[in-house]
Amino acid sequence: MAGYSTRVRSDIARWHQAGLIDAATADSLTRDVEANARKSLSFGSILAMMAALLFGAAILIFVAANWDAIPRLARVAALFAIILGGYVGGAVLKTRDHAAIGEALWIVAAAAFGGSIALIGQMYHLSGDEASALVTWGAGTALAAVALRSNPLTVAAVGIADAWLFLKGFDYYSRSDFPHAFVIMAVVLFAVSFWTRSQPARHLIILSLLFYLVLLAGNHATLPVAIPLVIVSVVLFAAAVFAPEPVDRIVQLGGRLPLHALLGFLTGLAIIQFELADESTYNSGFTIASVVALAGIVAALVLAGRESRGMRWLAYLGFAFELATIYVVTLQSMLDTAGFFLAAAVMLGILAIVIIRVEKRMKGPATGGATA
């Protein structure tokens, strides 16, 4: 984002010198670029977050390593001091225009809160499992995100919810109930993300919901999950393409809803194809699903590919996946090993030709657009 801001400011100065815009317009554009650039996550902010996580881990490991040597009251006091110091210190630094360091201290406090749950639970022999601890940790982090209106804490809360989903979804040993509660978590965190202005959290929530649906399809009925996913994805894609401004004002995804919709469309059809694929070469259901997938990829490229490089690359990956899937299901019984390599070479060649031709068409008459 910093490089983009620098280029835009340079372009604004050049436009002003060339007489394309007046001084007032140039000044307004420059202020707008600078205001939005401050909201971006710089490389220094990323390093500060990483340092905060490492610092928090170091503190917790040190406390855990000397756990028996520290008096019980001192243990609890030390843990709460880290949490309180992180949140209060971060808030003070935020008010003094040290946003990156302040957010980093909040991450330290959130990490300390999670570690405190485990250490205090062990010390007082509290009943519970890892999943319950993650729920408590995530709820506390989400409340802190709301109170402090923190973008990184919102993302952290979503990450903790994802860890809970992964733990419950792949809990093969106890075979606990399916984690349907994740939908409620996702809805709550999605609402929180608007208050905290956390667009990355919204993107992560949508991807997490797709993962939830894949788990649901694998554990329950496949087609009743996959078919609605395909239909909803098509509807969202159409709404985002034909009414982009009002839709994005609602979801606030930076114009990337079509990208998520295409991913949901391909995911749903992949689930359908895996369900319908069998040893029969002439499987009409699989063939129909494959045709729909390829037609959807072409439609996505035509309708939204010119404006989004990410859309084009996702479509290319989807096209390559479809070619490989169609080969595995319909042709593997007819080709030997040498034929496999020949078919792979032909498919890759076709894919390369398609990508080259599409890129030329997309770049040709276009005057510029987003590269989401």
Side-chain angles (χ1 to χ4, degrees):
M1 184 66 185
Y4 167 76
S5 301
T6 302
R7 291 196 302 271
V8 172
R9 283 193 289 265
S10 176
D11 288 338
I12 292 172
R14 177 170 52 82
W15 297 335
H16 176 54
Q17 291 178 357
L20 299 176
I21 56 177
D22 56 25
T25 303
D27 184 60
S28 299
L29 291 174
T30 302
R31 285 199 306 270
D32 181 73
V33 170
E34 290 175 350
N36 286 279
R38 292 192 196 102
K39 298 178 182 178
S40 65
L41 191 63
S42 65
F43 183 67
S45 299
I46 295 174
L47 291 179
M49 295 298 171
M50 294 175 64
L53 290 174
L54 293 174
F55 182 71
I59 292 175
L60 293 175
I61 292 173
F62 175 78
V63 173
N66 297 276
W67 195 242
D68 295 331
I70 303 174
R72 178 173 295 187
L73 184 60
R75 301 173 193 174
V76 178
L79 293 173
F80 277 96
I82 295 171
I83 297 171
L84 183 62
Y87 283 130
V88 174
V92 171
L93 289 172
K94 284 274 288 186
T95 59
R96 297 183 178 180
D97 202 22
H98 297 288
I101 301 176
E103 295 278 7
L105 284 179
W106 289 346
I107 294 295
V108 170
F113 176 67
S116 300
I117 294 172
L119 293 174
I120 294 177
Q122 180 187 22
M123 182 172 62
Y124 289 100
H125 305 289
L126 300 177
S127 61
D129 55 8
E130 293 85 352
S132 300
L134 284 173
V135 171
T136 305
W137 187 13
T141 304
L143 287 174
V146 172
L148 299 169
R149 208 166 188 179
S150 170
N151 181 340
L153 284 178
T154 308
V155 176
V158 176
I160 296 169
D162 290 342
W164 178 84
L165 173 64
F166 184 87
L167 184 63
K168 298 287 286 185
F170 290 99
D171 190 5
Y172 292 112
Y173 297 102
S174 62
R175 298 306 300 173
S176 57
D177 294 334
F178 192 80
H180 294 293
F182 179 78
V183 177
I184 300 175
M185 296 181 184
V187 171
V188 172
L189 290 172
F190 202 84
V192 168
S193 71
F194 288 105
W195 168 251
T196 60
R197 300 184 295 272
S198 180
Q199 189 180 109
R202 289 191 284 278
H203 289 295
L204 183 57
I205 289 169
I206 294 175
L207 295 177
S208 303
L209 284 173
L210 288 178
F211 177 64
Y212 165 82
L213 291 174
V214 171
L215 289 177
L216 183 62
N219 284 272
H220 296 75
T222 302
L223 295 181
V225 173
I227 293 176
L229 174 58
V230 171
I231 295 173
V232 170
S233 298
V234 170
V235 172
L236 289 177
F237 184 89
V241 169
F242 294 109
E245 293 184 3
V247 170
D248 198 62
R249 278 198 299 269
I250 297 173
V251 297
Q252 297 181 25
L253 291 171
R256 293 178 177 85
L257 181 59
L259 195 62
H260 289 295
L262 177 59
L263 182 60
F265 173 81
L266 294 175
T267 301
L269 279 172
I271 296 172
I272 294 172
Q273 287 175 300
F274 288 142
E275 175 69 17
L276 298 179
D278 57 19
E279 296 180 357
S280 174
T281 302
Y282 302 101
N283 187 330
S284 59
F286 176 84
T287 302
I288 293 173
S290 301
V291 170
V292 171
L294 293 173
I297 291 170
V298 172
L301 281 173
V302 172
L303 294 174
R306 185 184 301 277
E307 304 298 329
S308 171
R309 186 182 296 115
M311 176 68 67
R312 296 200 297 272
W313 279 107
L314 180 58
Y316 301 153
L317 290 174
F319 182 68
F321 173 81
E322 286 301 320
L323 287 179
T325 303
I326 292 170
Y327 163 75
V328 169
V329 174
T330 62
L331 299 180
Q332 65 175 351
S333 61
M334 297 186 293
L335 297 176
D336 55 13
T337 304
F340 167 77
F341 288 112
L342 176 61
V346 172
M347 286 190 293
L348 289 177
I350 293 173
L351 182 60
I353 293 173
V354 169
I355 290 176
I356 292 172
R357 293 181 65 88
V358 170
E359 287 293 325
K360 285 183 178 179
R361 286 181 175 272
M362 295 299 174
K363 293 179 179 178
T367 59
T371 58

PDB file of all heavy atoms in Angstrom, residues 4 22 38 58 68 91-92 101 107 126 136 157 160 221 263 265:
ATOM      1  N   TYR A   4       1.925   1.906  -3.540  1.00  0.00           N
ATOM      2  CA  TYR A   4       0.786   2.395  -4.316  1.00  0.00           C
ATOM      3  C   TYR A   4       0.527   3.871  -4.005  1.00  0.00           C
ATOM      4  O   TYR A   4       0.301   4.675  -4.908  1.00  0.00           O
ATOM      5  CB  TYR A   4      -0.447   1.549  -3.983  1.00  0.00           C
ATOM      6  CG  TYR A   4      -1.744   2.140  -4.481  1.00  0.00           C
ATOM      7  CD1 TYR A   4      -2.077   2.061  -5.834  1.00  0.00           C
ATOM      8  CD2 TYR A   4      -2.616   2.784  -3.604  1.00  0.00           C
ATOM      9  CE1 TYR A   4      -3.273   2.611  -6.298  1.00  0.00           C
ATOM     10  CE2 TYR A   4      -3.798   3.334  -4.065  1.00  0.00           C
ATOM     11  CZ  TYR A   4      -4.120   3.243  -5.407  1.00  0.00           C
ATOM     12  OH  TYR A   4      -5.291   3.788  -5.860  1.00  0.00           O
ATOM     13  N   ASP A  22      -6.639  21.003 -11.386  1.00  0.00           N
ATOM     14  CA  ASP A  22      -6.197  22.253 -10.767  1.00  0.00           C
ATOM     15  C   ASP A  22      -5.555  21.966  -9.407  1.00  0.00           C
ATOM     16  O   ASP A  22      -5.528  20.822  -8.929  1.00  0.00           O
ATOM     17  CB  ASP A  22      -7.370  23.223 -10.627  1.00  0.00           C
ATOM     18  CG  ASP A  22      -8.533  22.616  -9.853  1.00  0.00           C
ATOM     19  OD1 ASP A  22      -8.304  21.701  -9.041  1.00  0.00           O
ATOM     20  OD2 ASP A  22      -9.680  23.055 -10.073  1.00  0.00           O
ATOM     21  N   ARG A  38      -2.732   5.834   5.824  1.00  0.00           N
ATOM     22  CA  ARG A  38      -2.501   5.647   7.266  1.00  0.00           C
ATOM     23  C   ARG A  38      -3.275   4.460   7.809  1.00  0.00           C
ATOM     24  O   ARG A  38      -2.897   3.872   8.804  1.00  0.00           O
ATOM     25  CB  ARG A  38      -2.937   6.909   8.018  1.00  0.00           C
ATOM     26  CG  ARG A  38      -2.075   8.116   7.748  1.00  0.00           C
ATOM     27  CD  ARG A  38      -2.380   9.227   8.730  1.00  0.00           C
ATOM     28  NE  ARG A  38      -1.857  10.498   8.286  1.00  0.00           N
ATOM     29  CZ  ARG A  38      -2.579  11.446   7.731  1.00  0.00           C
ATOM     30  NH1 ARG A  38      -3.879  11.261   7.551  1.00  0.00           N
ATOM     31  NH2 ARG A  38      -2.036  12.578   7.356  1.00  0.00           N
ATOM     32  N   ALA A  58       7.150 -15.707  24.838  1.00  0.00           N
ATOM     33  CA  ALA A  58       8.308 -15.797  25.728  1.00  0.00           C
ATOM     34  C   ALA A  58       7.901 -15.626  27.189  1.00  0.00           C
ATOM     35  O   ALA A  58       8.365 -16.351  28.077  1.00  0.00           O
ATOM     36  CB  ALA A  58       9.344 -14.748  25.339  1.00  0.00           C
ATOM     37  N   ASP A  68       6.229 -23.873  39.242  1.00  0.00           N
ATOM     38  CA  ASP A  68       6.258 -24.448  40.587  1.00  0.00           C
ATOM     39  C   ASP A  68       7.018 -23.575  41.576  1.00  0.00           C
ATOM     40  O   ASP A  68       6.757 -23.633  42.784  1.00  0.00           O
ATOM     41  CB  ASP A  68       6.873 -25.848  40.544  1.00  0.00           C
ATOM     42  CG  ASP A  68       6.020 -26.823  39.745  1.00  0.00           C
ATOM     43  OD1 ASP A  68       4.783 -26.614  39.713  1.00  0.00           O
ATOM     44  OD2 ASP A  68       6.579 -27.761  39.148  1.00  0.00           O
ATOM     45  N   ALA A  91      -3.581   1.105  24.972  1.00  0.00           N
ATOM     46  CA  ALA A  91      -4.518   2.223  24.813  1.00  0.00           C
ATOM     47  C   ALA A  91      -3.811   3.568  24.961  1.00  0.00           C
ATOM     48  O   ALA A  91      -4.080   4.513  24.206  1.00  0.00           O
ATOM     49  CB  ALA A  91      -5.642   2.091  25.842  1.00  0.00           C
ATOM     50  N   VAL A  92      -2.890   3.651  25.915  1.00  0.00           N
ATOM     51  CA  VAL A  92      -2.138   4.900  26.104  1.00  0.00           C
ATOM     52  C   VAL A  92      -1.305   5.213  24.870  1.00  0.00           C
ATOM     53  O   VAL A  92      -1.265   6.360  24.382  1.00  0.00           O
ATOM     54  CB  VAL A  92      -1.257   4.805  27.361  1.00  0.00           C
ATOM     55  CG1 VAL A  92      -0.307   6.001  27.438  1.00  0.00           C
ATOM     56  CG2 VAL A  92      -2.114   4.727  28.612  1.00  0.00           C
ATOM     57  N   ILE A 101       2.500   0.026  17.828  1.00  0.00           N
ATOM     58  CA  ILE A 101       2.993  -0.526  19.090  1.00  0.00           C
ATOM     59  C   ILE A 101       1.823  -0.772  20.042  1.00  0.00           C
ATOM     60  O   ILE A 101       1.792  -1.776  20.777  1.00  0.00           O
ATOM     61  CB  ILE A 101       4.032   0.413  19.729  1.00  0.00           C
ATOM     62  CG1 ILE A 101       5.210   0.625  18.768  1.00  0.00           C
ATOM     63  CG2 ILE A 101       4.528  -0.144  21.048  1.00  0.00           C
ATOM     64  CD1 ILE A 101       6.240   1.606  19.268  1.00  0.00           C
ATOM     65  N   ILE A 107      -2.241  -7.334  21.375  1.00  0.00           N
ATOM     66  CA  ILE A 107      -2.064  -8.732  20.987  1.00  0.00           C
ATOM     67  C   ILE A 107      -1.345  -9.505  22.091  1.00  0.00           C
ATOM     68  O   ILE A 107      -1.678 -10.661  22.400  1.00  0.00           O
ATOM     69  CB  ILE A 107      -1.277  -8.820  19.666  1.00  0.00           C
ATOM     70  CG1 ILE A 107      -2.098  -8.222  18.516  1.00  0.00           C
ATOM     71  CG2 ILE A 107      -0.908 -10.265  19.347  1.00  0.00           C
ATOM     72  CD1 ILE A 107      -3.360  -8.985  18.197  1.00  0.00           C
ATOM     73  N   LEU A 126      -9.389 -26.934  37.280  1.00  0.00           N
ATOM     74  CA  LEU A 126     -10.714 -26.638  36.755  1.00  0.00           C
ATOM     75  C   LEU A 126     -11.062 -27.619  35.647  1.00  0.00           C
ATOM     76  O   LEU A 126     -10.217 -28.001  34.837  1.00  0.00           O
ATOM     77  CB  LEU A 126     -10.760 -25.200  36.217  1.00  0.00           C
ATOM     78  CG  LEU A 126     -10.448 -24.097  37.240  1.00  0.00           C
ATOM     79  CD1 LEU A 126     -10.469 -22.738  36.554  1.00  0.00           C
ATOM     80  CD2 LEU A 126     -11.447 -24.129  38.394  1.00  0.00           C
ATOM     81  N   THR A 136     -13.714 -19.578  25.567  1.00  0.00           N
ATOM     82  CA  THR A 136     -13.516 -18.515  26.551  1.00  0.00           C
ATOM     83  C   THR A 136     -12.487 -17.499  26.064  1.00  0.00           C
ATOM     84  O   THR A 136     -12.677 -16.281  26.190  1.00  0.00           O
ATOM     85  CB  THR A 136     -13.050 -19.122  27.884  1.00  0.00           C
ATOM     86  OG1 THR A 136     -13.988 -20.112  28.308  1.00  0.00           O
ATOM     87  CG2 THR A 136     -12.924 -18.045  28.951  1.00  0.00           C
ATOM     88  N   ALA A 157      -9.646 -12.764  17.197  1.00  0.00           N
ATOM     89  CA  ALA A 157     -10.840 -13.466  17.667  1.00  0.00           C
ATOM     90  C   ALA A 157     -11.362 -14.430  16.610  1.00  0.00           C
ATOM     91  O   ALA A 157     -11.774 -15.555  16.922  1.00  0.00           O
ATOM     92  CB  ALA A 157     -11.926 -12.456  18.055  1.00  0.00           C
ATOM     93  N   ILE A 160      -9.091 -17.470  16.560  1.00  0.00           N
ATOM     94  CA  ILE A 160      -9.371 -18.377  17.674  1.00  0.00           C
ATOM     95  C   ILE A 160     -10.636 -19.190  17.388  1.00  0.00           C
ATOM     96  O   ILE A 160     -10.697 -20.397  17.673  1.00  0.00           O
ATOM     97  CB  ILE A 160      -9.498 -17.585  18.982  1.00  0.00           C
ATOM     98  CG1 ILE A 160      -8.163 -16.915  19.330  1.00  0.00           C
ATOM     99  CG2 ILE A 160      -9.936 -18.498  20.127  1.00  0.00           C
ATOM    100  CD1 ILE A 160      -8.253 -15.911  20.458  1.00  0.00           C
ATOM    101  N   ALA A 221     -25.056 -34.941   4.899  1.00  0.00           N
ATOM    102  CA  ALA A 221     -25.455 -35.098   3.505  1.00  0.00           C
ATOM    103  C   ALA A 221     -24.695 -34.117   2.621  1.00  0.00           C
ATOM    104  O   ALA A 221     -24.636 -32.925   2.916  1.00  0.00           O
ATOM    105  CB  ALA A 221     -26.966 -34.889   3.372  1.00  0.00           C
ATOM    106  N   LEU A 263     -15.201 -18.472  -5.454  1.00  0.00           N
ATOM    107  CA  LEU A 263     -14.597 -19.540  -4.659  1.00  0.00           C
ATOM    108  C   LEU A 263     -15.675 -20.442  -4.065  1.00  0.00           C
ATOM    109  O   LEU A 263     -15.528 -21.680  -4.060  1.00  0.00           O
ATOM    110  CB  LEU A 263     -13.735 -18.936  -3.553  1.00  0.00           C
ATOM    111  CG  LEU A 263     -13.000 -19.939  -2.652  1.00  0.00           C
ATOM    112  CD1 LEU A 263     -12.064 -20.815  -3.466  1.00  0.00           C
ATOM    113  CD2 LEU A 263     -12.227 -19.202  -1.560  1.00  0.00           C
ATOM    114  N   PHE A 265     -18.677 -20.922  -5.321  1.00  0.00           N
ATOM    115  CA  PHE A 265     -19.245 -21.645  -6.467  1.00  0.00           C
ATOM    116  C   PHE A 265     -18.380 -22.855  -6.826  1.00  0.00           C
ATOM    117  O   PHE A 265     -18.888 -23.982  -6.989  1.00  0.00           O
ATOM    118  CB  PHE A 265     -19.364 -20.684  -7.648  1.00  0.00           C
ATOM    119  CG  PHE A 265     -19.779 -21.313  -8.942  1.00  0.00           C
ATOM    120  CD1 PHE A 265     -21.111 -21.592  -9.194  1.00  0.00           C
ATOM    121  CD2 PHE A 265     -18.846 -21.608  -9.919  1.00  0.00           C
ATOM    122  CE1 PHE A 265     -21.502 -22.173 -10.400  1.00  0.00           C
ATOM    123  CE2 PHE A 265     -19.225 -22.188 -11.123  1.00  0.00           C
ATOM    124  CZ  PHE A 265     -20.554 -22.468 -11.367  1.00  0.00           C
TER     125      PHE A 265
END
